[in-house]
Every structure is written in C-alpha cells, then in structure tokens.
C-alpha cells in the first residue's frame, strides 16, 4: 500500500504541479480583484512553486510548510490536493483527508478524468486511516462545533470532519441555547452520523423597572411591575406555624381541664352520696357533717373552675386555628413583615383566658 501511495504521490506531483499557476489564478474561490488580493495570489503561486519543488525532491516537511503558506493565501483544488498528498506521506491522514476532500469537491472543469481519479484514490486511502464524523444540528443552522476544544470551520461542518482514531468530545454551542456535549469513539474507516437538537436557554431579561424577569428567550409571558408599583413579597409562613402550634397547645390544655373537671365532678357526686347515705346534709344539719360538706364544696368549686378553663381554652384554640387558616388563605395586596407573636394564658378560680398579640 505504501509503495502504491508513493508512486501515486510522484505521479500526482507532476500532474498537478504543471497546472498550479494557472489554476490558482482561475480557481473557484477567486476573490473580487483588488491590488492586495492580487498580491496575495502572486505570493500563493510562489509558495506553491516552492512547495512543489521541495515535494519533487522529497523534502516533505518543507513542502508541507510551503503548501500551507499558499493555502492560507489562496484556496484552490490544486493547492489542497498537493498539500493533502504530502500530509498523507507524513502520516497525517486526518489533515490529508480534509485537504484532499476539498480538492475533490472543488476540482476545476479543466482537470483530466485520470487526475481526478488519482485524487479520489488518495482521498479513499486517507479516509481508510481515520474516523469520519458528520454533525448535524436539526433546529439551529449556525451552531458552532468544537472537537476536543478545536473549532471546526463552517466549510468542513457542511460536509465531513476527519479525526484520528481515538475518543473525542464534541461540543455544540449557539448563543441563546444550552451547550450540547457528545462523546464519540472513532476507529479507522468508521463513519459516525451525529444528529442533535439544542435546547433554548433560560435567560434573564431586564424588566421595565430594571427588575430581572426569568423566562425562555423570545418569550414575553411574564409581566414586569410598573415603576413605583408595590411588589408582593413571598408569604411569611412563620405566623401560620406559630398560630397552629398555639392552637394545638390550647387544645391540649382544654382537654386536660375537661378531664380534671369530670374527675372533680365524679368525686363531688361520690362525696354527696356518702353524706346523704349517712342521713346528713349540708344545709341545716349538725356540725358532724360540716367538715365533709366543706370538702364537698371544694370539690364542686374545683370541678366548676376546670370546666370554665376548659371552655375558655376550647374557644381560644378554635379562634387561633381560624386565625392561622385565615392568614394562610387571605389574598395579599402588598408586602408583609412579621414582628412577633405572643400567647399568654391566664387562669382564674372560676375561669380563664388566653391573650394573643402580634403583628405580621
């Protein structure tokens, strides 16, 4: 294979070198005539001739440098073909395939079929040693593509990308879209079709009053408050939590007082039944029952006091719960600031109360 390439390389040098000067001048990518452009074309011809001479003498590194100088000044099929030919000999198949492919795509009508066939044979030999990637972004026409951090020119992106065998990271970027990253493994002679779509990026746009509005690029669904208008702040849930906790505590106290009142009432009934069972009473009876009657009065008073406290506490617990629910569901017109919340229980001999104070 190497002997065949060597023979093809010498033949191609003769075939393409003889038409270098004229084809460079009339190449397909000739720019609009200007004094500076004409000067660049002349330099490109001199560089090409210098490269061809080194090429024929076997000084491949010097030939590559001269061809690269010519290529940077003027892009024509003959410069690309000779450059790719030399790079293939220098064991740079990926770069060789890139330049040979360009030469085959842009070959002039004056080239003989035999010369074109030799260019195509060299391109096939280069592609057999590299991986071929074809990247296509479905929803974006002008996305940028990077292969391991190296930018891929738009001309190559339209056709094929050639890479040495190995692992590569492909990054696709476009302003206003999220970056896409794809890992690929290239082997000799492989071809990978990569088709993807970019997702629109969530961007921050300045509002009418300078406030940031978050949304998708191109969308105007979120309205910005006019200058000087009150901006509603997020609801403060601390009062709701505090009121809920106070309601739960009050309910616990009420239940406890209810149990205590019921127990005292039961004791009172037992004491009264015992006094009546012994033939006495607490109204107009002898002093023998005075002590027992005093205990009965105390028990009755205790039952009544616990009953009043339980009733007040039930009412307070319900009121606090209603307040918490009202605060949570009530529509807010402006900002709210929590400054504190206090719940103060007060118990009396015949009742009690809870005092709730705060601001939010």
């Amino acid at each position: 294979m190497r002997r065949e390439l060597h023979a093809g390389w010498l033949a191609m040098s003769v075939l393409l070198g003889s038409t270098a000067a004229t084809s460079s001048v009339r190449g397909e990518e000739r720019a609009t005539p200007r004094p500076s452009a004409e000067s660049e074309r002349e330099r490109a011809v001199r560089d090409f001739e210098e490269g061809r001479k080194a090429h024929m003498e076997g000084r491949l590194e010097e030939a590559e440098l001269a061809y690269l100088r010519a290529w940077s000044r003027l892009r024509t099929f003959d410069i690309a073909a000779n450059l790719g030919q030399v790079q293939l000999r220098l064991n740079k198949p990926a770069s060789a395939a890139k330049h040979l492919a360009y030469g085959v795509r842009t070959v002039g009508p004056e080239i003989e079929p035999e010369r074109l066939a030799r260019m195509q044979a060299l391109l096939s030999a280069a592609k057999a040693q590299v991986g071929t990637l074809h990247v296509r972004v479905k929803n974006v026409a002008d996305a940028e593509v990077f292969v391991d951090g190296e930018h891929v020119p738009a001309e190559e992106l339209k056709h094929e990308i050639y890479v040495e065998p190995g692992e590569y990271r492909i990054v696709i970027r476009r302003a206003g879209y999220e970056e896409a990253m794809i890992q690929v493994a290239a082997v000799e002679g492989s071809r990978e079709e990569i088709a993807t779509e970019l997702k629109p990026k969530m961007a921050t746009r300045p509002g009418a009053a300078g406030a940031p509005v978050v949304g998708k690029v191109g969308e105007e669904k979120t309205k910005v408050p006019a200058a000087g208008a009150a901006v509603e702040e997020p609801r403060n849930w601390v009062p709701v939590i505090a009121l809920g906790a106070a309601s739960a505590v009050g309910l616990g106290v009420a239940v406890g007082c209810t149990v205590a009142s019921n127990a005292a009432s039961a004791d009172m009934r037992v004491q009264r039944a015992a006094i009546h069972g012994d033939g006495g009473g607490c109204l107009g009876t002898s002093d023998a029952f005075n002590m027992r009657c005093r205990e009965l009065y105390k028990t009755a008073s205790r039952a009544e006091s616990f009953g009043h406290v339980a009733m007040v506490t039930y009412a307070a617990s319900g009121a606090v719960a209603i307040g918490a629910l009202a605060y949570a569901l009530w529509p807010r017109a402006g900002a709210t600031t929590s400054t504190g919340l206090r719940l103060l229980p007060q118990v009396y001999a015949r009742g009690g109360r809870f005092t709730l104070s705060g601001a939010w």
Side-chain angles (χ1 to χ4, degrees):
M1 182 64 176
R2 292 294 182 186
R3 287 196 297 272
E4 292 176 5
L5 288 176
H6 183 66
W9 158 58
L10 291 176
M12 184 71 75
S13 299
V14 175
L15 291 174
L16 292 181
S18 62
T19 61
T22 57
S23 64
S24 293
V25 172
R26 66 187 182 211
E28 293 184 4
E29 294 193 358
R30 182 171 63 180
T32 303
R34 296 194 308 267
S36 59
E38 188 66 29
S39 176
E40 285 294 289
R41 189 175 298 110
E42 291 174 353
R43 293 192 188 99
V45 171
R46 287 197 298 269
D47 289 333
F48 181 86
E49 290 298 333
E50 181 183 335
R52 188 174 66 87
K53 181 180 179 181
H55 191 169
M56 294 296 295
E57 295 174 357
R59 294 179 282 113
L60 300 182
E61 288 82 2
E62 295 179 24
E64 182 188 26
L65 290 176
Y67 285 148
L68 283 171
R69 288 197 301 271
W71 176 254
S72 67
R73 293 187 170 107
L74 186 65
R75 298 197 170 191
T76 59
F77 77 90
D78 47 1
I79 296 176
N82 279 25
L83 175 57
Q85 198 178 37
V86 169
Q87 289 177 327
L88 188 59
R89 289 285 296 164
L90 291 173
N91 197 28
K92 299 178 180 179
S95 186
K98 177 181 71 174
H99 292 107
L100 287 166
Y102 181 91
V104 170
R105 286 197 308 270
T106 61
V107 66
E110 69 277 9
I111 194 75
E112 291 85 351
E114 294 79 7
R115 295 179 182 177
L116 177 59
R118 289 183 182 275
M119 292 169 61
Q120 292 171 335
L122 289 175
L123 174 59
S124 296
K127 291 175 69 172
Q129 303 178 47
V130 299
T132 302
L133 307 177
H134 184 215
V135 180
R136 182 168 60 94
V137 183
K138 297 179 182 179
N139 61 330
V140 178
D142 54 349
E144 291 187 296
V145 176
F146 299 82
V147 177
D148 275 2
E150 183 177 350
H151 181 260
V152 179
E155 172 65 23
E156 295 178 38
L157 197 58
K158 292 178 184 178
H159 302 283
E160 294 177 335
I161 304 171
Y162 304 104
V163 294
E164 305 285 347
E167 297 282 340
Y168 293 90
R169 183 180 66 173
I170 297 177
V171 176
I172 304 173
R173 296 173 184 163
R174 169 59 158 84
Y177 292 83
E178 294 182 8
E179 179 179 280
M181 186 181 71
I182 304 170
Q183 294 288 141
V184 297
V187 297
E188 291 185 355
S190 66
R191 177 180 174 84
E192 187 80 18
E193 292 284 344
I194 301 171
T196 186
E197 292 186 5
L198 296 183
K199 296 180 180 179
K201 183 184 294 184
M202 300 298 292
T204 301
R205 307 188 307 277
V213 179
V214 179
K216 285 189 177 181
V217 175
E219 292 184 349
E220 299 295 339
K221 294 182 179 179
T222 305
K223 294 184 179 180
V224 181
V231 179
E232 181 178 346
E233 297 180 359
R235 185 180 298 276
N236 186 356
W237 292 101
V238 173
V240 177
I241 297 173
L243 289 171
S247 177
V249 171
L251 183 60
V253 172
V255 171
C257 290
T258 299
V259 172
S261 177
N262 291 339
S265 296
D267 291 343
M268 179 188 69
R269 288 193 294 270
V270 170
Q271 292 172 356
R272 184 170 53 194
I275 292 174
H276 290 170
D278 291 339
C282 293
L283 294 175
T285 61
S286 63
D287 294 338
F289 293 97
N290 286 343
M291 183 66 66
R292 297 171 66 181
C293 286
R294 281 196 296 270
E295 291 297 327
L296 177 61
Y297 293 149
K298 288 181 181 179
T299 302
S301 177
R302 188 168 67 251
E304 185 181 7
S305 297
F306 280 126
H308 288 166
V309 172
M311 182 176 59
V312 172
T313 309
Y314 278 126
S317 176
V320 171
I322 293 172
L325 184 62
Y327 176 84
L329 300 179
W330 198 267
R332 306 176 68 236
T336 302
T337 304
S338 176
T339 59
L341 186 68
R342 290 182 297 174
L343 181 66
L344 301 177
Q346 294 178 331
V347 180
Y348 305 99
R350 292 184 174 270
R353 69 179 181 179
F354 283 90
T355 302
L356 179 65
S357 63
W360 52 83

